[in-house]
Amino acid sequence: MSSRQAVLLVGGRGIRLGYLTARTPKPLLSVAGRPFLSHLVERLAAQGFRDILLLTGYLAEAFQAFQADWSARGVTITCRVETEAAGTGGALHLALPELAPDFLVLNGDSLFAIDLAEFLASPLPPGVDGRLALRRVPTTDRYGTVTLADGRITGFQPHGAAPGPGVINAGVYWLRREAVTEAPALPCSLEADIFPGLAQAGRLEGRILDGYFLDIGVPDDFARAQVDFAPGGAAALYNGTGQAEAGA
């Protein structure tokens, strides 16, 4: 894969983790001995992403050492700091001057181990401004659900609206810059304020994919990550393309 731009949303407060994020941004919390964000960047670099933009907010200065460390390894990391909380959609809107014509977006507190080359292989059709990676889960209690028809996303339901198994937004997006050009008043949410309108207009694709998935945003899953990301753990068994290693 040729080098592309990856944008990581890392500005949130992470209040569900309590005291753990009082002095450390959630993406920089230690998971299996190193910052969770380091696991994400390592996987991105392995799949050809060398241009990475971090959209920071809460405790933004904490990302400076992380930026310098990865820059020394040949990965260009740029930090953009929002001075006031703008939400996920607002952060992207404010970063428009730094955005490539099309770019990958990931949440900085979750991993969906997919083959990004495959996800980006077919171009976005005319009139489509984004493609979302989706995943089937046994219970959607913590997540909103997504509805699809002929590969296009038709709607989003908030968490709790459709309990039980379902399809969720897994936090990996390929977007055109146009998707965030006309954001509503800031702050705004990419997921709640921008995506629903694009879906209603038929401008969002969805791909249901398999792969390891974990969101570290609650204490139980943060504790699980310590095991899964350790050598030989569930996440570590997936290589840079999102496929399980032989024998896993």
Side-chain angles (χ1 to χ4, degrees):
M1 179 193 298
S2 61
S3 181
R4 292 182 181 269
Q5 182 185 56
V7 181
L8 281 79
L9 301 169
V10 296
R13 170 69 173 82
I15 57 175
R16 291 178 297 177
L17 290 175
Y19 74 91
L20 291 173
T21 55
R23 297 182 180 179
T24 304
K26 181 170 50 173
L28 293 183
L29 290 174
S30 179
V31 169
R34 56 196 177 112
F36 181 74
L37 188 58
S38 190
H39 295 281
L40 299 185
V41 171
E42 181 178 72
R43 290 165 184 267
L44 286 169
Q47 297 194 64
F49 289 85
R50 299 276 168 175
D51 176 11
I52 295 177
L53 175 63
L54 301 182
L55 301 186
T56 69
Y58 176 67
L59 297 178
E61 64 281 359
F63 291 92
Q64 293 176 358
F66 181 89
Q67 176 186 15
D69 180 46
W70 276 97
S71 295
R73 303 190 215 180
V75 178
T76 300
I77 293 185
T78 305
C79 293
R80 192 187 195 287
V81 183
E82 58 184 22
T83 56
E84 297 183 9
T88 53
L92 284 166
H93 181 73
L94 293 173
L96 277 170
E98 288 89 6
L99 296 179
D102 60 87
F103 52 94
L104 188 74
V105 180
L106 297 93
N107 290 327
D109 60 356
S110 64
L111 170 68
F112 188 23
I114 61 173
D115 185 338
L116 293 173
E118 181 180 351
F119 182 60
L120 303 176
S122 59
L124 293 173
V128 171
D129 286 336
R131 177 179 298 155
L132 276 58
L134 311 175
R135 190 178 189 277
R136 296 189 188 279
V137 295
T139 176
T140 62
D141 293 349
R142 278 183 55 198
Y143 309 98
T145 56
V146 181
T147 55
L148 279 173
D150 298 323
R152 298 289 175 96
I153 294 176
T154 57
F156 299 86
Q157 292 75 42
H159 67 86
V167 175
I168 66 167
N169 171 1
V172 179
Y173 321 128
W174 183 21
L175 301 180
R176 297 190 200 275
R177 190 192 288 129
E178 287 78 8
V180 294
T181 300
E182 297 183 8
L186 305 186
C188 74
S189 164
L190 185 62
E191 298 79 7
D193 298 318
I194 294 178
F195 283 166
L198 293 176
Q200 187 175 19
R203 292 163 60 190
L204 275 188
E205 285 188 342
R207 297 278 180 88
I208 301 176
L209 302 170
D210 293 323
Y212 173 88
F213 176 77
L214 185 67
D215 175 348
I216 66 167
V218 296
D220 284 351
D221 283 344
F222 180 69
R224 175 185 158 198
Q226 307 301 329
V227 176
D228 285 4
F229 283 78
L237 293 176
Y238 283 82
N239 61 24
T241 65
Q243 302 300 312
E245 297 281 11

